[in-house]
Amino acid sequence: MIRPIALVGPTATGKSDLALDLAAALDRRGTGAEVVNADAMQLYRGMDVGTAKLPPAHRRGVPHHLLDVLDVTDTATVAAYQRDARAAVDAIRERGRVPVVVGGSGLYVQAVLDDLRFPGTDPAVRARLDAELATAGPAAMHARLADRDPDAARGILASNGRRIVRALEVVELTGLPFAASLPHPGAPRHDALLVGLDRDTAVLDERIEARVDGMLAAGLVDEVRALAGRGLRDGPTASRAVGYREVLEHLDGTIDLDEARRRTIVATRRLVRRQRSWFRRDERITWLDAGEADADAVLALHRATGTS
């Protein structure tokens, strides 16, 4: 049985590079590998610099899936991602190659590996909640969620109106807590190996600052300006991406570029804390120091931990 490998953990830890090293090592063993993206913002066409998306020329010939599949005006949904990512994983396995799922979007990783099911939606309920969000604002809606489902409220930012509305919708339609629709981790699909990469916080903070500076030097402002012309401001998901939101404020004249840089660094560090909190709850993940981890270490785990 071909076991997928999931490389997960906070942003800027080096998951993409390790995935390429892993694919090369598997090629040498005659198996080969293909990468399945599990970063929600890398789904978007044109969001390249600000998401640290590997350019095709830097992918070392390794096939990558679920990159550049949405326009910035599209809404990314976990349900659609699950359908497409699972199809990609199954097709890779049928080709006799190892799927390597790579990313820091925890819910997307779970959608591939776990029994994550999606309660239906009711257009009338959703429209009413969206209207209330527009009138009352996300903070008031978050307070309502905290009253109805405290556990869900603790896991959703008070500024994330879209997720708050979805949680309230699920609670209203099912009569159950939002978390009841989430999986309780058991054996992952296809006995996948989950490997987490992390670094010392001080080291990662330095990497984040250098990464943001590198993105700005590589043309992030021009990228955001071009995407704004393609409707980025109207994108319900893409417009909230770290770095893009801050540069949009700069382009709108609200803040200068130095402040956009500072806010992007702060927001990225905040994202790292959320990612750590999410992934550290999953006891199936074997954690490696990203500064020392290599493909051989991952393959040793892959050989040693399978159940079949």
Side-chain angles (χ1 to χ4, degrees):
M1 182 179 76
I2 295 176
R3 300 178 66 205
I5 299 171
L7 297 180
V8 304
T11 191
T13 49
K15 297 183 294 294
S16 297
D17 287 339
L18 181 57
L20 294 180
D21 292 342
L22 190 55
L26 285 164
D27 272 338
R28 290 194 294 271
R29 287 162 172 76
T31 305
E34 300 182 28
V35 171
V36 179
N37 166 54
D39 181 316
M41 296 306 165
Q42 291 194 9
L43 297 171
Y44 287 99
R45 283 181 283 271
M47 292 179 66
D48 302 328
V49 175
T51 65
K53 186 186 298 175
L54 285 175
H58 295 176
R59 295 174 194 168
R60 305 186 208 167
V62 177
H64 281 60
H65 304 269
L66 277 294
L67 294 173
D68 303 322
V69 295
L70 297 176
D71 290 325
V72 291
T73 52
D74 293 333
T75 299
T77 68
V78 185
Y81 172 81
Q82 181 185 63
R83 177 197 65 220
D84 296 339
R86 285 188 172 188
V89 166
D90 291 345
I92 293 165
R93 295 178 74 244
E94 288 173 6
R95 290 192 285 273
R97 299 166 71 82
V98 177
V100 182
V101 179
V102 183
S105 298
L107 195 58
Y108 282 63
V109 174
Q110 273 197 304
V112 181
L113 302 181
D114 289 317
D115 185 24
L116 181 59
R117 301 177 185 181
F118 300 94
T121 187
D122 184 304
V125 173
R126 174 62 67 89
R128 171 169 50 79
L129 290 170
D130 281 339
E132 292 173 10
L133 174 67
T135 302
M141 300 292 280
H142 191 267
R144 184 190 307 179
L145 180 62
D147 180 62
R148 297 184 181 180
D149 188 346
D151 288 339
R154 280 193 288 271
I156 299 175
L157 288 176
S159 60
N160 194 337
R162 182 166 161 264
R163 286 201 67 204
I164 294 167
V165 163
R166 177 56 177 158
L168 286 168
E169 180 188 28
V170 170
V171 171
E172 181 168 335
L173 293 177
T174 66
L176 298 172
F178 181 58
S181 65
L182 301 179
H184 299 285
R189 291 181 82 239
H190 307 310
D191 194 28
L193 170 69
L194 283 77
V195 176
L197 296 185
D198 208 342
R199 294 177 184 264
D200 174 78
T201 297
V203 173
L204 192 53
D205 282 349
E206 291 178 2
R207 286 175 62 91
I208 288 168
E209 186 167 346
R211 187 186 220 190
V212 171
D213 287 340
M215 289 173 174
L216 290 169
L220 177 59
V221 174
D222 289 338
E223 177 173 281
V224 176
R225 183 181 289 112
L227 291 172
R230 289 160 48 186
L232 176 62
R233 288 181 177 85
D234 300 322
T237 308
S239 62
R240 297 200 311 271
V242 173
Y244 293 84
R245 178 178 58 236
E246 292 77 12
V247 173
L248 280 174
E249 292 183 64
H250 165 62
L251 293 176
D252 290 339
T254 306
I255 57 177
D256 63 21
L257 188 56
D258 285 342
E259 179 62 11
R261 170 189 179 274
R262 186 194 70 80
R263 291 188 185 185
T264 300
I265 292 169
V266 169
T268 305
R269 289 172 177 166
R270 204 175 288 133
L271 172 62
V272 164
R273 291 196 294 272
R274 294 199 302 273
Q275 290 172 315
R276 279 180 174 150
S277 176
W278 178 284
F279 288 117
R280 290 289 179 179
R281 293 195 300 261
D282 192 336
E283 296 180 354
R284 301 169 301 176
I285 297 174
T286 299
W287 287 94
L288 301 177
D289 183 330
E292 300 175 359
D294 58 19
D296 289 338
V298 175
L299 289 179
L301 287 169
H302 195 240
R303 291 191 298 268
T305 60
T307 59
S308 61

Short mmCIF file of all heavy atoms in Angstrom, two decimals, residues 3 5 11 18 38 53 87 91 102 110 153 173-174 229 253 256 264 267 281:
data_model
loop_
_atom_site.label_atom_id
_atom_site.label_comp_id
_atom_site.label_asym_id
_atom_site.label_seq_id
_atom_site.Cartn_x
_atom_site.Cartn_y
_atom_site.Cartn_z
N ARG A 3 1.61 4.79 1.06
CA ARG A 3 1.21 5.69 2.14
C ARG A 3 1.50 7.14 1.76
O ARG A 3 2.66 7.49 1.48
CB ARG A 3 1.97 5.38 3.43
CG ARG A 3 1.79 4.00 3.98
CD ARG A 3 2.65 3.83 5.22
NE ARG A 3 2.20 4.68 6.31
CZ ARG A 3 2.98 5.11 7.30
NH1 ARG A 3 4.27 4.81 7.31
NH2 ARG A 3 2.48 5.87 8.25
N ILE A 5 2.28 11.07 2.49
CA ILE A 5 3.02 11.80 3.53
C ILE A 5 2.46 13.21 3.57
O ILE A 5 2.28 13.84 2.53
CB ILE A 5 4.53 11.84 3.22
CG1 ILE A 5 5.11 10.43 3.17
CG2 ILE A 5 5.27 12.68 4.27
CD1 ILE A 5 6.54 10.37 2.66
N THR A 11 3.86 28.44 8.88
CA THR A 11 4.44 29.02 7.69
C THR A 11 5.91 29.37 7.92
O THR A 11 6.35 29.58 9.06
CB THR A 11 3.65 30.29 7.29
OG1 THR A 11 4.06 30.71 5.99
CG2 THR A 11 3.86 31.41 8.28
N LEU A 18 11.53 20.95 1.73
CA LEU A 18 11.68 19.56 2.18
C LEU A 18 10.86 18.62 1.31
O LEU A 18 11.29 17.49 1.02
CB LEU A 18 11.26 19.43 3.65
CG LEU A 18 11.38 18.01 4.24
CD1 LEU A 18 12.81 17.48 4.10
CD2 LEU A 18 10.96 18.00 5.71
N ALA A 38 -1.71 22.13 0.18
CA ALA A 38 -2.71 22.30 1.23
C ALA A 38 -2.57 23.66 1.89
O ALA A 38 -2.68 23.81 3.10
CB ALA A 38 -2.59 21.18 2.28
N LYS A 53 4.70 30.91 -3.14
CA LYS A 53 4.43 29.79 -4.05
C LYS A 53 5.68 29.50 -4.88
O LYS A 53 6.27 30.43 -5.45
CB LYS A 53 3.26 30.15 -4.95
CG LYS A 53 2.76 29.03 -5.85
CD LYS A 53 1.69 29.56 -6.82
CE LYS A 53 0.47 30.09 -6.07
NZ LYS A 53 -0.51 30.71 -6.99
N ALA A 87 -9.14 13.42 -4.95
CA ALA A 87 -9.02 12.85 -6.30
C ALA A 87 -7.56 12.86 -6.75
O ALA A 87 -7.08 11.88 -7.36
CB ALA A 87 -9.89 13.63 -7.29
N ALA A 91 -5.29 9.52 -7.53
CA ALA A 91 -4.69 9.35 -8.85
C ALA A 91 -3.17 9.16 -8.75
O ALA A 91 -2.59 8.35 -9.48
CB ALA A 91 -5.01 10.56 -9.73
N VAL A 102 1.27 19.07 1.32
CA VAL A 102 2.14 20.09 1.92
C VAL A 102 1.35 21.36 2.17
O VAL A 102 0.75 21.93 1.25
CB VAL A 102 3.34 20.41 0.99
CG1 VAL A 102 4.27 21.41 1.68
CG2 VAL A 102 4.09 19.15 0.63
N GLN A 110 -6.84 18.29 7.13
CA GLN A 110 -7.81 17.35 7.68
C GLN A 110 -8.81 16.89 6.62
O GLN A 110 -9.25 15.74 6.63
CB GLN A 110 -8.57 17.98 8.85
CG GLN A 110 -7.86 17.81 10.19
CD GLN A 110 -8.81 18.08 11.35
OE1 GLN A 110 -9.40 19.15 11.43
NE2 GLN A 110 -8.94 17.12 12.23
N ALA A 153 -16.52 29.51 19.11
CA ALA A 153 -16.09 30.91 19.20
C ALA A 153 -14.63 31.01 19.58
O ALA A 153 -13.90 31.89 19.08
CB ALA A 153 -16.96 31.66 20.20
N LEU A 173 -28.87 25.11 11.70
CA LEU A 173 -29.45 24.07 10.85
C LEU A 173 -29.43 22.70 11.50
O LEU A 173 -30.35 21.89 11.29
CB LEU A 173 -28.72 24.01 9.51
CG LEU A 173 -28.88 25.22 8.58
CD1 LEU A 173 -28.04 25.03 7.33
CD2 LEU A 173 -30.35 25.43 8.21
N THR A 174 -28.38 22.41 12.27
CA THR A 174 -28.23 21.05 12.82
C THR A 174 -28.66 20.95 14.28
O THR A 174 -28.93 19.85 14.76
CB THR A 174 -26.76 20.59 12.73
OG1 THR A 174 -25.94 21.41 13.58
CG2 THR A 174 -26.25 20.68 11.29
N GLY A 229 -6.65 44.99 -9.84
CA GLY A 229 -7.30 45.24 -11.12
C GLY A 229 -8.13 44.07 -11.61
O GLY A 229 -8.97 44.22 -12.49
N GLY A 253 -3.89 54.17 0.26
CA GLY A 253 -3.42 55.38 0.91
C GLY A 253 -3.68 55.45 2.40
O GLY A 253 -3.45 56.48 3.03
N ASP A 256 1.43 53.77 5.05
CA ASP A 256 2.59 53.81 4.16
C ASP A 256 3.18 52.40 4.07
O ASP A 256 2.75 51.46 4.75
CB ASP A 256 3.62 54.84 4.62
CG ASP A 256 4.22 54.54 5.99
OD1 ASP A 256 4.18 53.39 6.45
OD2 ASP A 256 4.76 55.49 6.61
N THR A 264 2.32 43.24 8.19
CA THR A 264 2.43 41.92 7.58
C THR A 264 3.26 40.99 8.45
O THR A 264 2.91 39.82 8.65
CB THR A 264 3.04 42.02 6.17
OG1 THR A 264 2.21 42.85 5.36
CG2 THR A 264 3.17 40.65 5.54
N ALA A 267 1.12 40.12 11.48
CA ALA A 267 0.04 39.20 11.11
C ALA A 267 0.57 37.81 10.82
O ALA A 267 -0.09 36.80 11.13
CB ALA A 267 -0.71 39.76 9.90
N ARG A 281 -2.56 20.03 18.48
CA ARG A 281 -3.64 19.22 19.06
C ARG A 281 -3.69 17.82 18.45
O ARG A 281 -4.33 16.92 19.01
CB ARG A 281 -5.00 19.90 18.84
CG ARG A 281 -5.19 21.20 19.58
CD ARG A 281 -6.66 21.59 19.60
NE ARG A 281 -7.21 21.77 18.26
CZ ARG A 281 -7.38 22.95 17.67
NH1 ARG A 281 -7.01 24.06 18.30
NH2 ARG A 281 -7.90 23.04 16.46
#
